[in-house]
C-alpha cells in the first residue's frame, strides 16, 4: 500500500479552498459523546468507568480514495467487559467497528462486534439524509463553513429522532464521519443529540487501497436492528 501524506493542515486548507479534486487522503475526527452513558443499572467498576470514558472521547480515522471511505477508531479498545457495548454503542460506529462506504454505489458495510461475542457485517444502502443548506457561514479552525441541518427519523439506522447540525466546506472532496452522507464537501464539525464530531486534521496524498471488511455474518441493517431490539 502506498501512502504519502502532506503533513500540514495549512496545506490541506489551501487545497480545499481552491476547489481541489484530490481523490485520496486521510482525515481524523475527534468524537465526543455529549450525553451520559447508562450501564442499565449495573455496578460501574473502575474498568467499566474508564471504558465508558474511552468510548465517549476518541479519535476516528477516515481514509478516502476513489469514492471509497473507511471510518474507524484510531486506537482499538481493549477490555474484558465488552457487554457494555450493547448499552453504549446503539447503532453508531464505535469501539472496534469499521465502516466502509462506497460513494459510487451509495452503500456501506459496517463491521460490528455485537454484545461482545458475535461479529456482523451489516450491508445496506447509505441512509438518505434530506439536508437543508442554510444561508449561514461560520469560520471553524480557519475553514469557511456552510451550515446544513437535518432531522433523522427513528428507523433501522437511528434509534430515535435525531437533529443534526453540520458545518462543511463546499468542494469536491467528500469527507464525512460515520454514516452522515450526502453533503457536497468536507464536514468540519457535526453534532447530533448525543455526539459531536470535530475535524482535527485533513491530509492529501497518493492513491491508497481501502479494503472492505470480510469477516462476519452478513446481515441487512433492518435485520440487525431486530437483533439489537431483541437483545436490549
Amino acid at each position: 500500500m502506498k501512502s504519502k501524506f502532506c503533513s500540514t493542515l495549512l496545506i490541506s486548507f489551501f487545497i480545499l479552498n481552491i476547489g481541489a479534486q484530490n481523490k485520496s487522503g486521510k482525515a481524523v475526527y475527534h468524537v465526543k459523546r455529549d450525553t451520559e452513558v447508562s450501564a442499565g443499572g449495573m455496578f460501574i467498576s473502575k474498568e467499566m468507568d474508564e471504558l465508558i470514558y474511552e468510548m465517549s472521547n476518541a479519535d476516528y480515522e477516515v481514509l478516502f480514495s476513489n469514492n471509497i471511505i473507511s471510518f474507524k477508531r484510531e486506537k482499538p479498545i481493549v477490555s474484558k467487559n465488552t457487554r457494555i457495548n450493547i448499552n453504549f454503542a446503539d447503532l453508531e460506529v464505535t469501539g472496534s467497528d469499521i465502516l466502509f462506504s462506497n460513494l459510487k454505489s451509495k452503500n456501506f458495510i459496517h463491521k460490528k462486534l455485537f454484545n461482545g461475542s458475535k461479529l456482523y457485517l451489516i450491508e445496506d444502502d447509505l441512509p438518505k439524509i434530506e439536508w437543508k443548506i442554510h444561508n449561514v457561514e461560520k469560520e471553524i479552525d480557519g475553514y469557511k463553513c456552510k451550515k446544513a441541518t437535518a432531522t433523522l427519523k427513528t428507523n433501522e439506522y437511528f434509534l430515535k429522532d435525531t437533529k443534526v447540525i453540520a458545518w462543511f466546506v463546499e468542494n469536491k472532496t467528500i469527507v464525512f464521519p460515520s454514516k452522515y452522507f450526502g453533503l457536497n464537501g468536507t464536514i468540519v464539525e457535526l453534532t447530533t443529540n448525543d455526539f459531536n464530531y470535530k475535524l482535527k486534521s485533513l491530509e492529501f496524498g497518493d492513491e491508497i487501497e481501502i479494503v472492505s471488511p470480510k469477516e462476519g455474518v452478513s446481515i441487512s441493517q433492518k435485520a440487525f436492528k431486530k437483533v439489537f431490539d431483541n437483545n436490549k
Side-chain angles (χ1 to χ4, degrees), residues 1 20-21 40 55 75 80 82 105 108 116 136 150 164 193 204:
M1 178 187 296
Q21 297 186 47
M55 295 178 74
K75 296 180 180 178
K80 295 178 182 179
T82 48
S105 61
F108 69 87
V136 178
V164 182
N193 296 9
F204 298 105

Side-chain angles (χ1 to χ4, degrees), residues 13 16-17 133-148 165-171 183 185-190 198-199:
F13 171 59
L16 272 173
N17 278 272
I133 310 300
H134 299 263
N135 190 26
V136 178
E137 294 185 344
K138 181 169 75 170
E139 188 171 301
I140 302 175
D141 296 338
Y143 293 96
K144 189 176 181 180
C145 302
K146 287 187 174 183
K147 183 180 181 180
I165 300 174
W167 294 93
F168 72 105
V169 179
E170 192 171 29
N171 55 43
L183 288 172
T186 301
I187 291 179
V188 176
E189 186 168 9
L190 184 144
K198 182 76 177 289
L199 183 67

Side-chain angles (χ1 to χ4, degrees), residues 216-229:
V217 178
S218 183
I219 191 171
S220 70
Q221 183 72 53
K222 191 172 183 177
F224 178 77
K225 176 65 164 52
K226 288 182 180 179
V227 172
F228 180 88
D229 289 341

Side-chain angles (χ1 to χ4, degrees), residues 22-184:
N22 296 67
K23 294 183 179 180
S24 299
K26 173 185 175 181
V28 175
Y29 284 93
H30 182 73
V31 182
K32 179 181 178 182
R33 188 172 182 118
D34 291 330
T35 54
E36 288 189 7
V37 180
S38 169
M42 296 168 58
F43 169 73
I44 301 293
S45 66
K46 182 180 178 182
E47 183 187 6
M48 290 175 71
D49 187 55
E50 290 174 352
L51 175 63
I52 289 173
Y53 180 81
E54 258 197 276
M55 295 178 74
S56 302
N57 296 269
D59 289 342
Y60 281 74
E61 172 190 271
V62 176
L63 297 179
F64 54 96
S65 186
N66 295 324
N67 292 312
I68 303 297
I69 292 182
S70 69
F71 178 77
K72 67 177 182 178
R73 184 186 172 93
E74 277 202 315
K75 296 180 180 178
I77 293 174
V78 180
S79 173
K80 295 178 182 179
N81 291 319
T82 48
R83 180 168 176 79
I84 197 171
N85 289 351
I86 188 175
N87 295 314
F88 175 82
D90 300 335
L91 303 179
E92 290 283 349
V93 183
T94 56
S96 59
D97 292 9
I98 299 174
L99 181 67
F100 176 91
S101 300
N102 188 319
L103 305 187
K104 192 171 182 180
S105 61
K106 297 183 180 179
N107 59 17
F108 69 87
I109 301 174
H110 182 178
K111 180 181 178 181
K112 189 172 192 67
L113 180 65
F114 182 69
N115 205 12
S117 59
K118 194 162 186 178
L119 195 61
Y120 286 96
L121 285 179
I122 308 166
E123 302 182 56
D124 220 311
D125 296 331
L126 283 162
K128 295 178 176 64
I129 300 177
E130 295 183 8
W131 293 102
K132 179 180 179 181
I133 310 300
H134 299 263
N135 190 26
V136 178
E137 294 185 344
K138 181 169 75 170
E139 188 171 301
I140 302 175
D141 296 338
Y143 293 96
K144 189 176 181 180
C145 302
K146 287 187 174 183
K147 183 180 181 180
T149 59
T151 299
L152 310 177
K153 296 297 183 181
T154 304
N155 56 25
E156 62 267 28
Y157 296 98
F158 305 103
L159 286 179
K160 57 186 177 182
D161 290 359
T162 302
K163 292 183 179 180
V164 182
I165 300 174
W167 294 93
F168 72 105
V169 179
E170 192 171 29
N171 55 43
K172 295 181 179 179
T173 304
I174 309 299
V175 180
F176 55 90
S178 193
K179 299 175 186 174
Y180 296 100
F181 164 74
L183 288 172
N184 185 28

